[in-house]
Amino acid sequence: MLTQIIFSFLVSGSTSILNNVQKKYFVLCGISGVIAALAYNYFIAHNNAAISSLISCVILSICSQFFAQMTKIPSMVFTISGIMPIVPGSLLFKAFNSLAENNYNQAINFGTQAILVGFSIAIGFLINEVLSSVLLNLKNAVKKI
């Protein structure tokens, strides 16, 4: 568990470096990845991969909105870095490995799971954008009062 937390932190922080995010946000980007990975691992014990990815993306969007309000930078900085630990790379690897071994039924199973997880991540991004829009409109409405 500790190694997964460390590697989730490093993967998310390294993604922020690759995306030219300022160095002072490295820790927050890493923390967002750790939160997403921990949420995914908690929910994968009770649900399938697609539902777990969706729930962890929603948690990540809330976390990234909080970090964005705290640092005054866009929330997508933390969302893109934080999403890396739950990208379905292993499912795609298993799907293509099954194709190479001529095990087509298993390849279709893994491929379908990877597509569902990808759609869940896309819906998580959509929820992030809707949430930021609602919060911005709410903030502007409160300022007018």
Side-chain angles (χ1 to χ4, degrees):
M1 179 64 122
L2 182 62
T3 56
Q4 185 174 10
I5 290 171
I6 291 170
F7 283 116
S8 296
F9 181 84
L10 291 175
V11 164
S12 298
S14 301
T15 304
S16 70
I17 292 172
L18 289 174
N19 290 329
N20 292 327
V21 176
Q22 295 177 354
K23 291 178 185 177
K24 61 183 177 181
Y25 302 123
F26 177 84
V27 173
L28 289 177
C29 289
I31 290 172
S32 66
V34 168
I35 290 171
L38 289 176
Y40 179 79
N41 286 335
Y42 176 76
F43 289 109
I44 197 71
H46 307 293
N47 298 311
N48 62 8
I51 300 295
S52 301
S53 295
L54 178 64
I55 294 170
S56 62
C57 281
V58 170
I59 291 171
L60 175 64
S61 68
I62 293 168
C63 170
S64 64
Q65 289 296 325
F66 175 72
F67 288 157
Q69 292 293 322
M70 191 171 70
T71 60
K72 306 292 187 217
I73 63 172
S75 66
M76 288 302 284
V77 169
F78 303 110
T79 304
I80 291 172
S81 296
I83 206 76
M84 288 301 148
I86 59 174
V87 169
S90 64
L91 288 173
L92 288 173
F93 174 78
K94 289 176 185 176
F96 283 108
N97 190 31
S98 297
L99 278 175
E101 294 175 350
N102 294 329
N103 191 351
Y104 300 116
N105 290 331
Q106 194 174 19
I108 289 172
N109 184 26
F110 287 133
T112 304
Q113 286 179 357
I115 289 170
L116 288 174
V117 170
F119 280 135
S120 297
I121 291 171
I123 291 170
F125 276 136
L126 180 68
I127 290 171
N128 182 22
E129 290 301 315
V130 168
L131 185 64
S132 66
S133 169
V134 166
L135 288 176
L136 184 64
N137 289 338
L138 185 65
K139 183 179 176 182
N140 290 338
V142 167
K143 281 185 179 179
K144 288 181 182 179
I145 295 177

